[in-house]
Amino acid sequence: SQKIEQNSEALNIQEGKTATLTCNYTNYSPAYLQWYRQDPGRGPVFLLLIRENEKEKRKERLKVTFDTTLKQSLFHITASQPADSATYLCAPHGGNTDKLIFGTGTRLQVFP
Amino acid sequence: DSGVTQTPKHLITATGQRVTLRCSPRSGDLSVYWYQQSLDQGLQFLIQYYNGEERAKGNILERFSAQQFPDLHSELNLSSLELGDSALYFCASSLGASGPYEQYFGPGTRLTVT
């Protein structure tokens, strides 16, 4: 069955460092992969979308990579700030699935 | 502000009851999605409507149903409620039915079943 794996353990990093979050998927052949940010009790907020023919995408301090051979996406936040503390969700879709299925997310904690 | 509105914000009801959650999509969006998020689970996709028609279905229980009206707002009906139905219910909207369309989420409705 289709499976999306994100590190369920929280990632704690110091302000100013680069945070790297991992999203692995199995039994998917997604054409796109999206990343969202979710704060406690609030709806997810769209951050970035990357297509299968794009290796890398950037937006300000955010960078996403998409390796269809490894079936993996990496999400980087450079120069992290305490305000970046949140849960980050990945969602592969398209290809052999129309549905946007979310991973369980990784909680990022940036401390001063 | 995503432009997606959901009402009510909070709902407290008893087991066995029926409730209706309402969602208005962002202006111009034709797709509406419903998700359930419990404390111990991630965001679970329930159902998607596109321009009034059911487009995709997730693990939606038979006790739950939804529809999208001509003005594109959507309602999620939950009946014979059980304690385990207590969760945050999110509505999201997007421009298209599938493809590279990001979803815009509403603030959610927190349902508590007692």
Side-chain angles (χ1 to χ4, degrees), chain B residues 6-14 17-22 34 76-79 81-83 85-89 108-114:
Chain B
Q6 287 187 251
T7 56
K9 269 191 166 178
H10 302 276
L11 202 47
I12 301 174
T13 190
Q17 294 299 304
R18 172 191 167 95
V19 296
T20 297
L21 312 184
R22 197 178 190 277
W34 286 99
L76 178 67
N77 300 296
L78 315 175
S79 61
L81 284 167
E82 301 174 0
L83 295 177
D85 297 327
S86 296
L88 258 174
Y89 289 84
T109 292
R110 184 174 293 280
L111 174 66
T112 302
V113 183
T114 61

Side-chain angles (χ1 to χ4, degrees), chain B residues 18-95:
Chain B
R18 172 191 167 95
V19 296
T20 297
L21 312 184
R22 197 178 190 277
C23 168
S24 291
R26 209 172 58 121
S27 176
D29 285 355
L30 298 177
S31 264
V32 168
Y33 310 78
W34 286 99
Y35 293 88
Q36 178 193 57
Q37 189 170 42
S38 307
L39 270 176
D40 56 348
Q41 290 200 359
L43 209 55
Q44 301 293 317
F45 169 70
L46 296 178
I47 198 164
Q48 177 197 359
Y49 279 83
Y50 175 73
N51 205 19
E53 301 288 327
E54 184 183 302
R55 171 77 183 187
K57 225 169 182 175
N59 296 325
I60 187 167
L61 299 172
E62 282 194 17
R63 300 184 286 109
F64 296 1
S65 65
Q67 54 183 325
Q68 186 180 28
F69 294 88
D71 67 352
L72 301 178
H73 90 271
S74 178
E75 292 181 356
L76 178 67
N77 300 296
L78 315 175
S79 61
S80 302
L81 284 167
E82 301 174 0
L83 295 177
D85 297 327
S86 296
L88 258 174
Y89 289 84
F90 289 107
C91 165
S93 72
S94 70
L95 181 62

Side-chain angles (χ1 to χ4, degrees), chain A:
Chain A
S1 61
Q2 295 174 328
K3 200 174 173 184
I4 305 167
E5 289 180 340
Q6 293 186 258
N7 196 341
S8 57
E9 289 183 18
L11 178 63
N12 298 308
I13 65 164
Q14 194 172 23
E15 183 176 9
K17 302 289 187 187
T18 296
T20 298
L21 286 67
T22 305
C23 174
N24 295 299
Y25 56 91
T26 53
N27 296 323
Y28 270 106
S29 297
Y32 320 99
L33 195 143
Q34 300 189 25
W35 282 89
Y36 288 75
R37 168 189 173 133
Q38 186 175 26
D39 292 284
R42 303 177 76 96
V45 175
F46 170 78
L47 296 174
L48 279 168
L49 179 149
I50 187 166
R51 300 165 191 259
E52 62 179 339
N53 61 350
E54 296 175 314
K55 295 294 181 197
E56 182 181 297
K57 197 141 186 195
R58 292 173 186 261
K59 179 183 173 185
E60 297 170 353
R61 294 184 297 111
L62 309 181
K63 184 178 92 172
V64 170
T65 63
F66 192 11
D67 190 324
T68 55
T69 302
L70 288 179
K71 294 188 179 293
Q72 182 182 78
S73 175
L74 298 178
F75 178 81
H76 307 270
I77 305 176
T78 58
S80 57
Q81 304 164 0
D84 296 326
S85 299
T87 296
Y88 291 86
L89 309 167
C90 75
H93 71 110
N96 64 345
T97 178
D98 264 354
K99 304 173 194 176
L100 194 71
I101 307 296
F102 286 86
T104 51
T106 297
R107 197 161 70 86
L108 173 67
Q109 189 75 31
V110 181
F111 56 91

